[in-house]
Amino acid sequence: MTQETLDGVDQLKRSIDWKQGLAIALGVPLLILPSLGYLPTYVAAAAILVWGLSILQTFFQNTAYAELATTFPEASGLPGFVQQVFRTENYKGKYDKGKLLGGFSAWSYWFAWNPVLSIFAILVGNYLHGLFPALAAHFTQYELGLLSGLVIFTGLSVVNWFGLKDGAILGYILAAVSLVPLAVLTIAPFATGHIDFANITGNWAPADWAWDAHHILIIFGIFSIALWSTGGWETAAIYAPEYKKPGRDVPKALYTCGVICFFSFVLVEAAVIGVLGVDGVLAEPISPLIPVAHAVFGQAGTTATIVMLIAAMILIIQTAYLGSAHAMHSMAEEGNFPKVFGRTNRQGTPFVAMFVTAAFNMTLIFIGSIPAILAAAAIGYTCANGISLFAYVKSKTSPAFANLERPFKAPRGWKYVALVFGLFNVPLCLIGVVYLNSLEIGWTSTWLGFVVLAVFIPIWLYTQHQSRSGEDKSDETSPEPTLATDERVGSISGVQERGSD
């Protein structure tokens, strides 16, 4: 069976329900790992509060995204919603600025999710280096990061080649392998009495903290970094074109994942600080869960924790891999990226976008610095969320969208909530993360982020030029409409109508 196409881009298949979408997004709680020891560096034990507030922020934002997902059921999550809202129908000029804005938001989202693959591949290499002395004797952590990336990306490409449904099955397996032991490791310190609440209450904020401009900018930057982790559960909405019943499946997948994430992020940080104290966390900023496991379970527990975390990292790589590939497919589908990136195989997998994502992340691994890669990605994610929330406001106020069916509706007045959080993201958190980057690791990550984002503009201009050239050739060579042509148009319309049922 071949995949139906529209304008040279293959359409995705409706093959999953909310539980499968949830399974793919269940890797999101593991996004806390790169920042688990980072946030206490600036805000001490108040990092627990930051994680909780950040999750609440994503509940407000994702309520808007849930409505967009059911209003535009053929769009792939944030990148698809924004492109649908900002494009101008029947645009007659040379370049549609609204379409450029939508495409740029999708590109920002793609760049935000992409580095998850490289960050966790590097972490896998670090954990393998500590777990197996034989490997450490022959490979450096850097070399193991590269090797881990190559093996994991190749393996996931093979699995996902056979379609999103099989990717969800892998998500079920890895969730059982990783999230259940992670929950045990988080709850066990509370149950066994290893938590010293004085470690939390006695060091709630840094001794030199002051509410001046310097620290307020740090707060905005911290929330940008935190959002890169906590905001990930909106990926449950990115598969709207592949849910069997988007109006029902999208909200159920989103909110179930959100509740899981809230307790996961808050309790994991509380357990780590409660056992180790802030100073203990800062002494082991990359992998603080390992000394927690050693304190609670001994050496055997430490080894089990490393194995568990490696499985967990593969799970979040799977989530990011699919999210990035679908974002690129969406850009091609909307005419904001070369059509070749919209090609899918017989199983409906956007394989070109998937392979490019893997190659891009192998390049990022060569950088070797997790903070630099994460900081650059946070710039992209902050931009994507801000523009997406502005898109929601436009979808609620523009007469062009007034008559669209909305199977799920946010509470009345939610456009004002979305506007507030949109402005919180852009410009406040964007300025904050740039300032935080300048303090932490210099300007390298900031330049990396802005350069990658800027690359989209020439790609987009090239895509528009190619699109106009193709239309011009079509106008010159196309014969008058025939019965066969009319039948083909009717066939495509039928595909769209079936997809909306």
Side-chain angles (χ1 to χ4, degrees), residues 104-112 376-377 379-381 383-384 430 446-458:
F104 177 78
S105 177
W107 177 254
S108 300
Y109 184 85
W110 178 85
F111 178 55
I379 292 174
Y381 197 53
C383 291
L430 179 60
T446 298
W447 281 114
L448 173 64
F450 284 125
V451 166
V452 172
L453 294 178
V455 164
F456 173 74
I457 295 177

Side-chain angles (χ1 to χ4, degrees), residues 281-420:
V281 174
L282 300 185
E284 191 68 47
I286 301 299
S287 52
L289 281 176
I290 293 178
V292 170
H294 192 274
V296 178
F297 299 116
Q299 184 58 46
T302 302
T303 301
T305 299
I306 297 177
V307 173
M308 174 201 73
L309 291 178
I310 291 174
M313 292 174 204
I314 295 174
L315 173 60
I316 193 58
I317 289 173
Q318 159 78 344
T319 301
Y321 202 9
L322 290 174
S324 298
H326 281 67
M328 187 173 282
H329 176 278
S330 175
M331 286 189 284
E333 190 174 44
E334 292 293 333
N336 287 315
F337 220 62
K339 290 181 180 179
V340 65
F341 293 97
R343 299 297 296 172
T344 68
N345 63 11
R346 294 173 65 88
Q347 287 74 34
T349 300
F351 67 96
V352 176
M354 194 168 63
F355 293 153
V356 170
T357 295
F360 179 76
N361 275 275
M362 286 302 300
T363 303
L364 287 180
I365 293 176
F366 279 98
I367 296 175
S369 171
I370 292 176
I373 299 172
L374 193 154
I379 292 174
Y381 197 53
T382 301
C383 291
N385 273 280
I387 299 173
S388 297
L389 291 167
F390 297 146
Y392 175 78
V393 174
K394 181 178 179 180
S395 76
K396 297 291 287 187
T397 56
S398 173
F401 306 106
N403 297 323
L404 291 180
E405 182 181 357
R406 300 173 186 262
F408 172 83
K409 289 184 179 181
R412 183 183 297 273
W414 210 256
K415 62 184 177 183
Y416 302 110
V417 175
L419 179 61
V420 169

